[in-house]
Amino acid sequence: MTSTPWHAAMITPEEDFDGAPLLRKEFTLEEGHGAVVKATLRATALGVYEAFINGAPVGPDVLSPGWSSYEWRLRYRSYDVTALIKPTSVIGVELGNGWYRGRLAWHGLSNLYGNELGFFGQLDIEFADGHVQTVASDPSWQAGPSATIFNDLYDGQTIDARRLQAGWAEPGFASGTDWTGVRELAFDGGRLAEPVGPPVVRAGVVRPVKVFTSPGGKTLVDFGQNLVGWLRFSVQGEAGRAVTVRHAEVLEDGELGVRPLRSAKATDTFILSGGRDTFEPTKTFHGFRYAEITGWPGTLMPNDLEAVVVHSDLERIGSFECSNDLVNQLHRNIVWGLRGNFLDLPTDCPQRDERLGWTGDIAVFAPTAAYLYDVKGFLQDWLLDLAAEQKAQDGLVPITVPDALKYCPQPPEFPAPESSALWSEASVWVPWALWEAYGDHSVLENQYESMAAHTRRVEGLLSPAGLWDSGFQFGDWLDPDAAPDQPWAAKADTAVVATACMYRTARLTAQAAGLLGKHDDEAHFNALADRVRNAFAEHYVAADGTIRSDCTTVYALAIAFDVLLTPELRDFAGNRLAELVRANGYRVSTGFAGTPFITHALTDTGHVDEAYRLLLEEGCPSWLYPVTMGATTVWERWDSMLPDGSINPGEMTSFNHYALGAVADWMHKAIGGIRPLAPGYASVLIHPQPGEGIDWARTSLKTPHGEVRVSWTSDGGEFRLEATVPDGVAADVVLPDGARHSVEGGTYSFGAPLTLGVATGA
């Protein structure tokens, strides 16, 4: 929490002004103190805000302060506004409903956190003589109407350009009778927190690739990329004309495919003033590739508008490319899926009436995310909310963070909330992924209490035998063999999945305890892990090595989590997993639990050929099937769109879900060949494992110690590798023939004979 000395109050307009009020405060610099040397604005809101000084934006961020667990953490942003200060200045603020008061989840409920918008801000101006003048939000501010007459993150924004008030955030503005005062709201300043993660920003622009007419006569715009953000354009037409924009990710029968949005309207409306109007709906966001536009004056041309891409301001640090164009497109889809769903917090999807911070998705995707982008601050910020929600719920890690669902009716198909395997595991798996990726000890220090609390809670849920075999579990969610309306009906026994997850969690918590010097906890959690592992062996592994439910997911988890007791059982599991993969024609047979780990499990048990063929399969279900169908992001279901071009009839048919894109972690490590041997890549394993269907690959990663680069080619039975290692970093290089080399700091080239389909362990 912050130690900033605050003089501000949380203020709200005396009138609601359609849920998008303007606030302003005009002031004059105090005289006799010399020049202004520094001016800092700190701001936050109940809702979302955009702040201006003398009409200029104070920063590049949008949708601030974002969505946190408002009950305990309300983040504020700080801006250096020195260059904007004049002798007479105005602080102007636009408010919107955002996550605080807008609609959340699929229950149709709004106002989950409160029914009044608020702004809390303080401008501190430091003069040459050290004097500080403070201008803070208080009852002296004014409030008035904006051009926005409706705003909701799910349903869209309506802007009436006829209501624009030019100069409202500049000195000398004459507010009319439609402006009112403000009043204070009761507010606990102890909730104020400086953000750990980056702000949401406009991260780029995508231009239309085509404007066309649908079979039903609608004007459609194709941006060529499924993205998250909004449209921006200038237009002129008669006053009062409405230009309406509907958004969707796909087409069905040539028309906008809106059924996957469920109740989200995803519709923006712009009412023209009669002059030249510029519109940008910054109080909503949409997941879309296509836009349907009605009411446009004249003929719409591709250069008339642009899509603004919006997500958290993250640095790209990892790259991957190979000889297979479909795999490259899959990797691009995974990157775009991350971009669309890393909008202030890691969400499941960005388009329908959900957009929640589902813990299961990020639990399995965190290693991939941490390679592609620097997400340490982003995910640490989210983990603070996870810990706050968990502490308030007696150690329970909810399935979404922030936990909006606790305010919503419990669906009949799910019992009362309880710890959920893989989902609640985010409390342990995400900090561990950040520790491995960045080597920052503070991540474990900050999250250890949360990690241990979750592990102890599940310890209390185990049966006397040591199994996690009671209560509702999502299990191998969205198994491709499950019926569209029964996503929980997986082949994998839920207790087998849960118990395997608990073993991994207990072992990781023990390792974290050891790193932090908590040796009593380390011993306790190691003993717990041993108990769970022995119970798994006794109750779920038959004498011949068969694991209960005998499907790909249970073998993948058992191998990846190292839950099996002997090398012989591990070998059997690897062989059985490969056999099942071959028997299924190399089509995917795993859901959310098994998919992130199956290619790792195959490769680590010597079945590189099966892993490659599984990745490269194009028939449905597979990773490449959506690519062959024109996907530009990863889908929620393997068959979100059916081969005939129709949308899957299930309710969960998002076309932008990153969870199944967790396979990129294997692509980076096994195809690209870069793995950490020590946290933060203080030492590195370079071990590409080539397979049929890919003739070359190159990958790079900006680590805390410098950039690691690997490229390799295979041709005519010869394998050639080039690797660059940062100064001071030791690397073990393993070639396909098993030859090993130890190198440090520099660029190196190696050659070796290549026999595909044969794996050599690292």
Side-chain angles (χ1 to χ4, degrees):
M1 293 302 176
T2 177
S3 58
T4 297
W6 292 104
H7 305 285
M10 183 68 72
I11 58 174
T12 190
E14 291 179 351
E15 294 185 25
D16 189 58
F17 294 118
D18 301 313
L22 304 176
L23 303 173
R24 73 186 305 272
K25 173 65 177 180
E26 187 164 335
F27 65 94
T28 301
L29 289 181
E30 297 173 356
E31 297 180 349
H33 300 290
V36 172
V37 295
K38 186 174 183 181
T40 303
L41 175 69
R42 296 175 178 86
T44 190
L46 305 178
V48 294
Y49 72 89
E50 292 178 77
F52 307 84
I53 290 184
N54 297 323
V58 300
D61 52 313
V62 292
L63 296 168
S64 288
W67 185 12
S68 57
S69 293
Y70 298 124
E71 304 94 331
W72 306 284
R73 295 181 68 237
L74 180 64
R75 297 166 301 179
Y76 64 89
R77 292 276 167 200
S78 298
Y79 309 89
D80 182 347
V81 295
T82 310
L84 301 181
I85 300 299
K86 298 177 180 179
T88 298
S89 293
V90 171
I91 305 173
V93 177
E94 295 184 19
L95 292 180
N97 293 317
W99 295 270
Y100 185 82
R101 200 174 71 165
R103 195 148 70 93
L104 290 177
W106 53 89
H107 306 87
L109 300 178
S110 301
N111 307 322
L112 295 188
Y113 294 99
N115 56 17
E116 291 185 293
L117 300 179
F119 175 72
F120 186 97
Q122 180 168 310
L123 173 64
D124 292 315
I125 305 168
E126 183 179 344
F127 292 87
D129 66 354
H131 175 73
V132 175
Q133 178 182 352
T134 295
V135 182
S137 53
D138 62 26
S140 69
W141 286 47
Q142 294 175 292
S146 71
T148 294
I149 58 177
F150 175 81
N151 71 103
D152 185 83
L153 297 180
Y154 291 0
D155 294 331
Q157 185 171 345
T158 299
I159 301 175
D160 187 343
R162 297 170 300 181
R163 293 183 18 157
L164 284 171
Q165 302 196 53
W168 70 272
E170 299 175 15
F173 173 72
S175 56
T177 57
D178 53 355
W179 282 70
T180 69
V182 302
R183 57 185 172 82
E184 289 190 27
L185 290 175
F187 176 70
D188 176 11
R191 285 191 284 163
L192 292 170
E194 192 161 357
V196 177
V200 176
V201 297
R202 299 171 180 87
V205 169
V206 175
R207 303 282 182 177
V209 296
K210 183 170 63 169
V211 176
F212 60 102
T213 302
S214 76
K218 302 291 188 180
T219 299
L220 299 180
V221 183
D222 178 7
F223 288 90
Q225 173 63 54
N226 195 20
L227 57 91
V228 175
W230 49 67
L231 296 193
R232 180 169 60 196
F233 57 86
S234 295
V235 64
Q236 185 166 1
E238 64 270 26
R241 172 188 281 265
V243 176
T244 301
V245 183
R246 300 170 70 213
H247 305 77
E249 298 180 299
V250 294
L251 302 178
E252 188 172 32
D253 298 325
E255 305 290 348
L256 209 63
V258 297
R259 183 172 56 81
L261 303 178
R262 300 192 303 215
S263 68
K265 295 183 176 64
T267 300
D268 295 329
T269 301
F270 308 99
I271 302 171
L272 309 187
S273 69
R276 188 74 180 173
D277 298 316
T278 298
F279 292 106
E280 186 175 6
T282 57
K283 297 176 180 62
T284 188
F285 66 88
H286 311 290
F288 67 102
R289 172 176 171 170
Y290 300 94
E292 176 192 287
I293 300 182
T294 58
W296 188 271
T299 301
L300 179 66
M301 303 299 291
N303 61 358
D304 285 333
L305 38 74
E306 59 189 4
V308 179
V309 178
V310 176
H311 57 74
S312 289
D313 191 10
L314 303 172
E315 178 191 359
R316 182 75 184 271
I317 59 173
S319 70
F320 173 88
E321 189 178 10
C322 71
S323 62
N324 188 300
D325 289 339
L326 292 179
V327 173
N328 290 337
Q329 183 62 50
L330 170 64
H331 195 267
R332 286 192 290 270
N333 293 359
I334 293 166
V335 171
W336 273 98
L338 180 154
R339 295 180 72 186
N341 282 292
F342 276 36
L343 196 159
D344 197 57
L345 68 151
T347 55
D348 58 325
C349 62
Q351 74 297 94
R352 67 186 180 214
D353 57 354
E354 192 164 352
R355 315 185 197 188
L356 304 176
W358 284 91
T359 48
D361 299 55
I362 193 60
V364 297
F365 190 72
T368 297
Y371 185 100
L372 293 172
Y373 286 86
D374 180 355
V375 296
K376 185 166 75 72
F378 174 87
L379 288 178
Q380 279 186 285
D381 201 308
W382 180 77
L383 285 168
L384 293 174
D385 285 324
L386 182 149
E389 298 279 4
Q390 178 188 18
K391 189 173 183 179
Q393 300 184 47
D394 193 28
L396 168 69
V397 177
I399 55 178
T400 64
V401 172
D403 187 15
L405 296 182
K406 65 177 178 279
Y407 297 114
C408 301
Q410 193 66 32
E413 63 268 28
F414 300 140
E418 187 44 271
S419 298
S420 182
L422 194 146
W423 273 253
S424 297
E425 249 74 59
S427 58
V428 175
W429 296 6
V430 174
W432 191 259
L434 296 180
W435 161 243
E436 287 193 316
Y438 307 117
D440 184 348
H441 210 258
S442 69
V443 174
L444 297 181
E445 291 174 349
N446 293 340
Q447 294 303 130
Y448 179 75
E449 182 180 342
S450 168
M451 298 170 75
H454 164 68
T455 309
R456 292 186 195 278
R457 182 180 178 90
V458 178
E459 181 180 9
L461 299 176
L462 299 179
S463 70
L467 305 172
W468 193 0
D469 58 359
S470 62
F472 171 81
Q473 295 288 353
F474 288 97
D476 199 25
W477 187 254
L478 288 173
D479 181 319
D481 295 321
D485 60 345
Q486 295 182 314
W488 58 84
K491 299 180 291 294
D493 184 289
T494 57
V496 175
V497 171
T499 303
C501 287
M502 177 51 178
Y503 168 73
R504 182 183 193 228
T505 287
R507 195 66 82 196
L508 292 182
T509 307
Q511 292 181 49
L515 288 166
L516 297 174
K518 300 176 183 295
H519 299 302
D520 289 345
D521 279 4
E522 180 185 17
H524 173 82
F525 290 125
N526 271 326
L528 173 61
D530 291 341
R531 177 187 171 213
V532 172
R533 192 184 199 194
N534 290 330
F536 188 96
E538 179 181 354
H539 295 277
Y540 295 148
V541 183
D544 65 354
T546 302
I547 299 175
R548 179 184 290 187
S549 58
D550 193 34
C551 63
T552 49
T553 286
V554 297
Y555 291 108
L557 297 184
I559 295 165
F561 298 170
D562 196 25
V563 72
L564 300 171
L565 293 179
T566 66
E568 292 76 18
L569 288 172
R570 182 180 173 86
D571 289 343
F572 175 88
N575 292 333
R576 180 59 178 153
L577 176 60
E579 181 182 9
L580 290 170
V581 168
R582 291 191 297 268
N584 202 46
Y586 300 97
R587 299 196 179 193
V588 170
S589 58
T590 50
F592 268 37
T595 296
F597 303 103
I598 187 169
T599 46
H600 283 297
L602 287 167
T603 304
D604 292 348
T605 54
H607 301 282
V608 176
D609 184 58
E610 285 81 2
Y612 268 79
R613 292 191 65 176
L614 187 64
L615 176 72
L616 298 178
E617 173 60 37
E618 298 176 24
C620 184
S622 67
W623 279 286
L624 295 186
Y625 163 73
V627 177
T628 67
M629 295 291 288
T632 60
T633 43
V634 175
W635 296 351
E636 179 177 20
R637 293 179 182 270
W638 299 107
D639 58 351
S640 283
M641 179 169 284
L642 303 179
D644 64 2
S646 62
I647 297 171
N648 188 297
E651 280 198 5
M652 283 164 291
T653 51
S654 159
F655 291 89
N656 194 352
H657 250 68
Y658 57 64
L660 300 180
V663 69
D665 183 54
W666 176 80
M667 294 161 64
H668 301 148
K669 291 175 178 174
I671 302 177
I674 298 177
R675 298 174 183 254
L677 278 179
Y681 297 84
S683 59
V684 181
L685 173 65
I686 296 175
H687 183 206
Q689 299 184 65
E692 290 190 15
I694 294 180
D695 300 324
W696 60 263
R698 51 178 172 259
T699 188
S700 67
L701 178 65
K702 296 177 184 176
T703 78
H705 306 279
E707 187 173 39
V708 179
R709 295 195 300 273
V710 174
S711 63
W712 61 263
T713 60
S714 63
D715 181 26
E718 289 295 321
F719 177 85
R720 290 178 294 279
L721 169 70
E722 185 170 289
T724 299
V725 181
D727 290 341
V729 172
D732 289 349
V733 180
V734 181
L735 301 179
D737 64 352
R740 294 170 177 266
H741 304 270
S742 295
V743 300
E744 183 174 336
T747 298
Y748 303 88
S749 297
F750 304 93
L754 177 66
T755 304
L756 293 177
V758 177
T760 55

